[in-house]
Amino acid sequence: MTAPHAPLALTMGEPAGIGPDLTLIAWQRRDAASLQPFYVLGDPEMLASRARRMALDVPIVVCTPEEAMGHFASALPVVALDNRAPDTPGEPSREAAAAVIEAIETAVAHVAEGRAGGIVTNPINKKSLYDAGFRHPGHTEFLGMLAERFWPETAHEPVMLLAGPDLMAIPITVHIPLADVPGALTSKRIRLVARIADHELHTRFGIDRPRLALAGLNPHAGENGSMGREERTILEPAIAELREEGIDIVGPLPADTMFHPRARAQYDCALACYHDQALIPVKTLAFDESVNVTLGLPFVRTSPDHGTAFDIAASGKARPDSLIAALRLAARLSARGAG
């Protein structure tokens, strides 16, 4: 890996979940995993308490982002937040919401100021945030709002990419009820997502000419209109226009036959019509190694592709594979630039 010009900013995520566990273990495995330096935006006392609970030998140093590079080899660098977070494994509380939100906001500010090379986010608990007044559907949408705040001169459209070792997939519609998908799945939206995917798979991931494959919405991709007409009226017109622009895209393909090995060899990234159509195959193929990447932003953001797992917090059972993969991918993408 190319040496970073600045460390990665790792947000603490939900303190009652496994985010602190994974953070501590990832730092312990920094050499074996060839991790580039990162620092944690969080409560140093909470992290120290979690390390004691788990009998982990992780020295913690409170520092600035600029000092993190020098400390990383010998201690976990932590940039302390103004808000505190209790160490209550498995017991989320709305009191921690302010710290969770502050960590995300500060991480974006640090990237905007050139103090961090990219952002890796630990899982959050949306209910605790909603109870405290958080009004965004999730991480991705909140990051899009922050991009507008810190980079107001350009438009930003966050797009969720799930990247595993054997499959990359993008849900065109994300955190909405399944019943609302047909109304939200417009040709305009498909074209927007495909353009962002084509651009950033080239600029960030280094794919010379990305090959995209669009899944159908209906069974058998509509079966020539007998099982739904969205393929003919929405998906096919979008594909035709994208091809005219020079984007390499095929489809709509029946979703039940586009994720086996021979099919996956024909494209670089699958575009799915809705959330689970993308996430189920990615997580089935590589649950512990998949990474959530946000495209369409002026900075690099990755995240482990799993939740808070309250039931195993502080137990030592959580696997750090996805967080380590997220840290490694963020370092690689940051080295290439923001796209």
Side-chain angles (χ1 to χ4, degrees):
M1 274 184 209
T2 303
H5 72 281
L8 296 172
L10 174 61
T11 64
M12 69 174 190
E14 168 55 54
I18 60 173
D21 310 22
L22 303 179
T23 297
L24 296 165
I25 298 170
W27 181 83
Q28 280 194 323
R29 300 187 185 180
R30 65 199 179 283
D31 293 332
S34 299
L35 294 181
Q36 297 287 4
F38 63 85
Y39 64 88
V40 184
L41 287 155
D43 184 335
E45 294 184 11
M46 182 274 293
L47 287 165
S49 174
R50 185 64 58 90
R52 290 192 295 270
R53 284 180 186 271
M54 298 178 65
L56 296 176
D57 181 16
V58 179
I60 291 171
V61 59
V62 177
C63 64
T64 65
E66 292 76 16
E67 296 167 336
M69 300 280 278
H71 288 298
F72 186 74
S74 58
L76 175 64
V78 178
V79 174
L81 303 173
D82 292 332
N83 292 286
R84 304 293 297 276
D87 181 28
T88 55
E91 300 177 8
S93 65
R94 61 182 298 174
E95 287 73 25
V100 173
I101 294 169
E102 182 191 354
I104 302 168
E105 291 178 329
T106 305
V108 177
H110 283 179
V111 174
E113 296 162 359
R115 307 175 77 187
I119 298 170
V120 181
T121 59
N122 267 307
I124 59 174
N125 177 40
K126 295 171 189 173
K127 184 180 186 306
S128 296
L129 299 185
Y130 294 158
D131 290 345
F134 188 72
R135 291 293 176 262
H136 301 275
H139 246 139
T140 302
E141 295 83 358
F142 186 40
L143 289 166
M145 183 276 292
L146 293 173
E148 298 285 346
R149 178 192 301 176
F150 288 100
W151 289 269
E153 68 281 1
T154 55
H156 310 289
E157 183 64 40
V159 169
M160 178 189 294
L161 166 70
L162 287 305
D166 300 309
L167 173 65
M168 290 197 293
I170 293 174
I172 296 171
T173 65
V174 190
H175 297 123
I176 60 174
L178 188 59
D180 295 343
V181 168
L185 188 68
T186 63
S187 290
K188 180 179 179 181
R189 175 67 184 171
I190 294 168
R191 294 194 303 270
L192 174 65
V193 172
R195 289 167 184 152
I196 292 172
D198 178 71
H199 173 72
E200 299 209 18
L201 289 173
H202 173 67
T203 57
R204 291 193 181 185
F205 287 79
I207 301 174
D208 287 339
R209 181 170 166 77
R211 300 168 301 163
L212 307 179
L214 176 62
L217 173 66
N218 297 295
H220 301 272
E223 196 72 76
N224 296 317
S226 64
M227 293 187 184
R229 298 191 56 80
E230 286 85 358
E231 283 75 15
R232 288 186 169 182
T233 60
I234 299 172
L235 277 66
E236 290 177 7
I239 290 172
E241 184 167 334
L242 290 165
R243 286 175 176 166
E244 289 179 2
E245 297 174 11
I247 293 176
D248 187 351
I249 182 169
V250 297
L253 304 177
D256 63 340
T257 59
M258 67 179 287
F259 296 112
H260 62 79
R262 292 193 306 278
R264 296 199 308 272
Q266 305 305 309
Y267 59 83
D268 299 302
C269 181
L271 304 185
C273 291
Y274 53 93
H275 183 275
D276 285 10
Q277 192 180 55
L279 273 68
I280 287 174
V282 171
K283 292 187 176 184
T284 299
L285 288 168
F287 183 81
D288 293 307
E289 294 82 29
S290 297
V291 177
N292 185 337
V293 185
T294 305
L295 307 180
L297 297 177
F299 54 87
V300 169
R301 180 263 178 155
T302 67
S303 178
D305 187 24
H306 57 68
T308 53
F310 291 125
D311 57 320
I312 59 171
S315 70
K317 297 178 180 179
R319 293 181 55 172
D321 306 60
S322 186
L323 177 58
I324 288 173
L327 288 162
R328 290 176 57 84
L329 182 56
R332 178 162 66 89
L333 299 181
S334 297
R336 292 187 61 89

